[in-house]
Amino acid sequence: MSTEHKMNADKAVIIEALQAKVNASPFLIVIDYTGITVPEFTDLRAKLAASGASCMVAKNSYMGKALAEAGLPDISAALKGQTAYVMGESDVCAAAKVLNTFAKATKKAPYKVGIMDGAELEPAKIQALGDLPSREVLLATLLGTINGAGSALARVIQAYVDKKGGSQETAE
């Protein structure tokens, strides 16, 4: 086997593995990791893992090919320089929140681009996703709203009953 053929086979295996990761994740966030130290990157990866996401570095051309083979938007213009890729199991907001916090604390890791549900996301939209309250807070707010409406209805009914003197007339 020639060296060139082995290199092409290795490249194909890497691209295939990247494509499998991209296909398994509902989102992809691309960040610039220029200037991030090894301890900072290790800390970032640990915090992302705690939120159900992972961060990896891959050759930009390989990721571009993997995205193309997965049928995802062409974001090759953003795949330049020191690029890291964040993917996750489900919650893009949790991953973006970790990245927002990291960027605010270190002034590093700006967003380049993202992909969610097969559509390209601008950096400002990724930032906004990270600024949303957590899923638990949103669910608690929704539950509070639903409970509030039920409580208000009960108060209206009770006020009506009190106004009528609390007596119930029955037909005889």
Side-chain angles (χ1 to χ4, degrees):
M1 181 183 278
S2 71
T3 306
E4 183 178 324
H5 181 69
K6 183 177 180 339
M7 191 165 38
N8 286 339
D10 291 345
K11 180 179 175 181
V13 167
I14 293 168
I15 291 170
E16 191 175 302
L18 288 172
Q19 182 182 358
K21 286 181 185 261
V22 166
N23 283 335
S25 177
F27 66 89
L28 171 74
I29 299 172
V30 183
I31 61 169
D32 183 339
Y33 75 94
T34 302
I36 298 176
T37 65
V38 172
E40 287 172 333
F41 198 68
T42 301
D43 182 51
L44 175 61
R45 290 176 86 170
K47 287 178 179 165
L48 285 167
S51 76
S54 64
C55 184
M56 63 179 289
V57 175
K59 194 170 181 179
N60 292 329
S61 61
Y62 291 179
M63 183 58 84
K65 284 184 175 57
L67 293 170
E69 289 178 15
L72 292 169
D74 180 9
I75 58 168
S76 56
L79 305 183
K80 307 251 187 282
Q82 303 292 309
T83 306
Y85 304 93
V86 177
M87 292 172 260
E89 298 165 5
S90 61
D91 193 357
V92 67
C93 295
K97 188 175 294 302
V98 169
L99 291 168
N100 285 358
T101 301
F102 180 82
K104 193 176 290 183
T106 64
K107 306 293 185 240
K108 299 174 186 174
Y111 296 117
K112 288 185 169 192
V113 70
I115 298 175
M116 187 172 78
D117 295 330
E120 187 174 336
L121 291 176
E122 299 171 1
K125 288 185 180 178
I126 304 167
Q127 174 81 36
L129 286 171
D131 291 338
L132 288 174
S134 71
R135 183 175 189 273
E136 291 76 20
V137 170
L138 288 173
L139 288 174
T141 302
L142 177 61
L143 186 58
T145 301
I146 291 169
N147 284 340
S151 296
L153 179 60
R155 284 191 299 274
V156 167
I157 292 170
Q158 186 61 49
Y160 178 78
V161 170
D162 291 346
K163 182 178 180 184
K164 292 290 184 182
S167 64
Q168 294 182 349
E169 296 179 21
T170 57
E172 290 186 34

